[in-house]
Amino acid sequence: MTAKEPSVLSKHRAKVWLTYVIAALALYWVFHDVHWGALVDQFKQLSWGWVSVIVFWDVLSFYVQGIRWQILLQPLGKLSYWRTTQAIYVGLLTSEILPLRAGEIIRGILVARWLGRKFHDVLPSMAVERMFDAFWFSGAMIATALLIDVPPQIRVGTNVMAAAAILGIIVFVYVVKKTHYAENVVDLNAEPKNLVEKLRFALFEIRVELKQIGLGRRFWTSGLVSGLLHVVQALAFLSILKACGVDLPLLASIAVFLVVHLGIAIPNAPANVGTFQLFCVLGLTFFGVEKSTAAAVSVIAFAILTFPVLLIGVLATLQAGFSLTSFHTQLRDMSTQQPAAERVI
């Protein structure tokens, strides 16, 4: 173990503990003054007929995400929609267990292994996914805020996400449109010898993959599928409100969904526990829902949206033959693969 490794490990542990502290504080605020009788009554009034509808929309949303990712991965090789969806579920299961959304790394490693590529080869597709998510979310939130009143803090968060989406699009277009690249920046026939050379080569390959995604039909199709993904996710959340008997106007319901979506955008505790409940309660109470009812809805929503992911995630992980204990080994092996020097822009 090098001298730097203990420091890196300590920083990671500090981040992990911070996520748990935030989750604990959020849960305390959510439940410290609720009327438990009202919370229990909300569970009793749950319309179970809507539960299957919620699960349907939730499962469908991840399949739609798998379709989007498969489209973006096409320049790297052939991979079925089922495979990309399977990798997403393996990643979801990991994020339900580990903090800081570690599943994002896991799903990237799995897909890279199936395609015979390096991990950073698939990073551009995942970055474009996040860019589309930020674009559609901020657009929906801005449109909603123009029609109804929303908390000022949410407006700030929306503006930040919109700025990030615009910046991401500008960078992406710049990388795709730029045709000149200095020959002496990266020697494609030489093995990187130090950290600087490895970083240059990795950035070069990421740029290659971004250019392969391009601004053609693949880009626009995945962008439209991203919009469909957010519609399906919204339908799942609106179905939860129906199941819990929460009667809000449509725009207010959509605003609550967007508030929750914004709240869990930042990697946090496993399964976003704490932050999910916090922003669900904040959104609902802003539109006049009593806090005990809002707390009950947050728990019901969390349970219905989490258990199917756990079940399908376990099945997907077993079928993939993936083990979390082999995570570091696979990442190291992939990082030592020969660079794809034959690829050109």
Side-chain angles (χ1 to χ4, degrees):
M1 181 178 289
T2 65
K4 291 183 178 180
E5 286 179 345
S7 176
V8 173
L9 184 60
S10 298
K11 290 180 179 178
H12 176 72
R13 287 176 176 171
K15 291 179 181 178
V16 170
W17 280 108
L18 178 61
T19 65
Y20 291 134
V21 170
I22 293 174
L25 292 174
L27 290 175
Y28 173 78
W29 182 87
V30 169
F31 295 111
H32 82 281
D33 59 350
V34 302
H35 302 291
W36 293 98
L39 192 149
V40 172
D41 290 339
Q42 187 65 45
F43 275 92
K44 293 179 179 179
Q45 296 171 9
L46 178 65
S47 177
W48 291 97
W50 276 98
V51 173
S52 58
V53 176
I54 299 166
V55 173
F56 169 79
W57 289 123
D58 190 41
V59 173
L60 179 62
S61 71
F62 294 118
Y63 182 65
V64 173
Q65 184 182 351
I67 293 174
R68 177 181 68 176
W69 200 17
Q70 192 271 348
I71 294 172
L72 293 171
L73 288 168
Q74 286 175 2
L76 299 180
K78 292 184 177 180
L79 204 64
S80 68
Y81 301 134
W82 291 108
R83 269 303 206 190
T84 52
T85 304
Q86 180 184 11
I88 288 170
Y89 268 106
V90 174
L92 288 169
L93 176 64
T94 306
S95 295
E96 299 293 326
I97 300 172
L98 301 177
L100 299 173
R101 206 161 295 168
E104 289 294 295
I105 300 176
I106 296 295
R107 72 176 175 112
I109 288 178
L110 264 182
V111 163
R113 185 180 72 180
W114 289 336
L115 289 171
R117 297 280 186 160
K118 290 177 288 186
F119 172 65
H120 63 67
D121 288 337
V122 305
L123 281 178
S125 64
M126 299 167 71
V128 173
E129 283 185 304
R130 299 288 80 80
M131 181 183 73
F132 282 138
D133 288 340
F135 171 80
W136 283 106
F137 169 83
S138 56
M141 192 71 246
I142 291 171
T144 304
L146 290 174
L147 297 172
I148 61 173
D149 187 30
V150 297
Q153 298 89 340
I154 300 303
R155 292 181 185 271
V156 173
T158 300
N159 292 336
V160 171
M161 188 167 285
I166 293 172
L167 178 61
I169 292 172
I170 292 173
V171 171
F172 180 80
V173 173
Y174 172 78
V175 170
V176 171
K177 290 294 185 180
K178 185 180 179 182
T179 56
H180 174 72
Y181 192 77
E183 293 285 341
N184 61 350
V185 172
V186 175
D187 184 356
L188 296 178
N189 297 314
E191 182 73 21
K193 297 179 180 180
N194 53 50
L195 180 61
V196 174
E197 290 183 0
K198 289 180 179 180
L199 180 60
R200 284 179 175 177
F201 198 95
L203 291 175
F204 176 80
E205 289 201 315
I206 289 174
R207 179 176 174 272
V208 170
E209 305 303 340
L210 285 174
K211 287 182 71 68
Q212 288 180 336
I213 292 174
L215 292 171
R217 184 175 63 180
R218 185 182 301 110
F219 176 83
W220 295 108
T221 301
S222 57
L224 291 175
V225 173
S226 296
L228 176 61
L229 168 62
H230 285 76
V231 170
V232 175
Q233 290 176 337
L235 288 172
F237 190 83
L238 296 182
S239 298
I240 290 172
L241 298 183
K242 286 291 185 181
C244 295
V246 176
D247 188 18
L248 287 178
L250 178 60
L251 286 177
S253 300
I254 293 174
V256 175
F257 160 72
L258 293 172
V259 167
V260 175
H261 199 78
L262 177 63
I264 63 176
I266 300 174
N268 211 284
N272 291 308
V273 64
T275 50
F276 179 91
Q277 288 79 11
L278 172 64
F279 282 90
C280 189
V281 171
L282 287 175
L284 288 170
T285 53
F286 179 82
F287 289 102
V289 178
E290 197 270 329
K291 188 180 179 183
S292 295
T293 299
V297 171
S298 73
V299 174
I300 293 170
F302 182 82
I304 296 176
L305 297 177
T306 300
F307 289 146
V309 167
L310 289 173
L311 177 59
I312 300 175
V314 168
L315 295 176
T317 302
L318 292 175
Q319 199 279 330
F322 184 79
S323 171
L324 290 180
T325 58
S326 64
F327 165 64
H328 293 293
T329 302
Q330 294 185 54
L331 182 59
R332 184 180 65 248
D333 292 343
M334 294 179 64
S335 66
T336 57
Q337 292 178 5
Q338 283 295 109
E342 71 278 7
R343 277 180 285 153
V344 295
I345 299 178

